[in-house]
Amino acid sequence: MTRFNQPLGGNEMPRFAGPGTMMRLPTQPTAEGLDACFVGIPLDVGTSNRPGTRLGPRQIRQESSMIRPYNMATGAAPFDSIQVADIGDVPLNTFDLKKSVDIITEFYNGILAYPCIPLSLGGDHTMTYPILRAIAKKHGPVALIHVDAHADINDEMFGEKIAHGTPFRRAYDDGLLLNDKVFQIGLRGTGYSPEDFNWARSKGWTVIQAEECWWKSMTPVMADITAKIGDAPVYLTYDIDSLDPAFAPGTGTVEIGGLTTWQALEIIRGCAGLNLVGGDLVEVSPPFDPSGNTALIGANLLYEMLCVLPGVKRG
Ligand code: MN
Ligand code: MN
């Protein structure tokens, strides 16, 4: 008999049926007794272009039903190692973004009252700022691995301080980050000026533009990043639009020339051994990918994050 929660298997219940939780795991109302939890943030009122990410968590959960428990590539066996459940969604105020930001921080303060690592299903990228407020309240300033087509360091958007293009500027302003241990990977596209990426460099952050990643394995890059982060607490935030739209069209702010799914796997698997204190997968917008494949990729990347959490055994 196993000590840990197990995803409902495909030989116990058809993959297209059963509970609508992440990987068809058990659900519970709080993080009590958990080493890690999946939590949804159905937020899209912070988006600047195409909306729809409020539907992301539900579709990621649906597409996660195909994921089996054992990682054939890395040997990770998360459900033989740690206690995991899906604790549901954050009860946002969808009419008020600023109130929602405070609701998210309070919700994560509640999760982090327990020794539990949250893995969050987004939701637009605004959500990472209030999560980081809770994370830094518990752990102090953290290292950050930020995979995205965009820098998300605008001071304002349309005169607003809170939006999906400002979370890392706000995190910087609030002192939530270890500025010599911030890595932005996959940035690209058109901008307003070179400052769009150089502001971060001027703060000591490392910016790796998408063109530097083309045709290459990300494994050496991640070896360099993990060496620089060392044993500092680190948060991993993964914007699905970092991927090329050929892979992940179901998102709101598409940029061509992006990363591949195998580079995404190398990035996340390259985080093994880090002191990860949280992670998220944001910006899946189901209306723009009726196939569900963008959400399926998101679900798999969240599973890969689970596989590299501290305490997860490898076969
Ligand atoms: Mn983003
Ligand atoms: Mn983005």
Side-chain angles (χ1 to χ4, degrees):
M1 202 174 81
T2 177
R3 292 193 296 133
F4 300 113
N5 288 340
Q6 298 296 309
L8 185 57
N11 296 312
E12 301 161 82
M13 174 66 76
R15 291 280 173 196
F16 46 82
T21 56
M22 185 70 181
M23 293 186 71
R24 307 193 301 177
L25 281 161
T27 186
Q28 63 180 62
T30 74
E32 185 175 7
L34 301 179
D35 299 303
C37 67
F38 291 107
V39 53
I41 304 189
L43 177 73
D44 69 0
V45 287
T47 56
S48 55
N49 193 33
R50 309 192 302 202
T53 55
R54 67 178 60 187
L55 304 173
R58 182 158 285 189
Q59 199 188 36
I60 290 170
R61 288 186 173 105
Q62 177 175 328
E63 296 299 331
S64 75
S65 68
M66 262 301 293
I67 303 173
R68 304 154 192 100
Y70 181 74
N71 192 318
M72 300 301 291
T74 68
F79 305 104
D80 294 344
S81 311
I82 61 174
Q83 183 70 320
V84 189
D86 184 333
I87 65 164
D89 293 326
V90 180
L92 302 175
N93 179 339
T94 199
F95 302 106
D96 191 320
L97 179 61
K98 293 185 185 77
K99 279 185 183 164
S100 288
V101 162
D102 289 338
I103 290 167
I104 293 167
T105 298
E106 270 311 298
F107 195 95
Y108 280 71
N109 285 338
I111 294 172
L112 297 169
Y114 303 100
C116 176
I117 301 174
L119 296 176
S120 305
L121 291 56
D124 78 59
H125 221 158
T126 312
M127 65 190 238
T128 305
Y129 168 52
I131 294 172
L132 284 171
R133 290 197 300 204
I135 290 277
K137 184 177 177 188
K138 176 168 181 174
H139 298 283
V142 292
L144 182 74
I145 299 174
H146 169 208
V147 191
D148 203 323
H150 311 99
D152 293 353
I153 47 80
N154 294 290
D155 186 32
E156 294 182 345
M157 297 183 84
F158 226 77
E160 295 292 335
K161 293 282 190 184
I162 302 294
H164 79 152
T166 70
F168 305 107
R169 175 67 71 101
R170 295 288 85 77
Y172 172 82
D173 289 346
D174 289 4
L176 310 180
L177 303 173
L178 297 168
N179 291 309
D180 61 337
K181 295 181 170 62
V182 177
F183 300 88
Q184 297 187 297
I185 305 170
L187 275 52
R188 63 186 186 273
T190 49
Y192 290 100
S193 82
E195 269 305 287
D196 289 11
F197 296 166
N198 287 339
W199 179 89
R201 292 184 171 111
S202 77
K203 305 304 174 195
W205 302 7
T206 302
V207 177
I208 302 168
Q209 293 183 217
E211 290 79 2
E212 300 171 65
C213 306
W214 287 356
W215 318 113
K216 289 180 190 163
S217 167
M218 298 304 291
T219 302
V221 174
M222 293 309 297
D224 184 45
I225 289 173
T226 54
K228 285 176 176 153
I229 290 176
D231 57 7
V234 54
Y235 189 86
L236 172 61
T237 182
Y238 206 106
D239 187 327
I240 199 78
D241 72 27
S242 59
L243 292 171
D244 192 86
F247 298 95
T251 191
T253 321
V254 168
E255 308 286 355
I256 68 165
L259 306 182
T260 65
T261 50
W262 46 98
Q263 286 177 313
L265 291 169
E266 288 177 331
I267 290 170
I268 298 175
R269 290 173 183 169
C271 291
L274 286 172
N275 178 19
L276 282 165
V277 294
D280 61 47
L281 187 292
V282 301
E283 298 283 354
V284 171
S285 180
F288 295 100
D289 185 0
S291 79
N293 288 346
T294 303
L296 183 142
I297 293 167
N300 276 275
L301 296 184
L302 283 157
Y303 167 74
E304 293 286 338
M305 288 185 201
L306 180 71
C307 288
V308 293
L309 293 186
V312 172
K313 287 185 274 189
R314 289 177 174 235

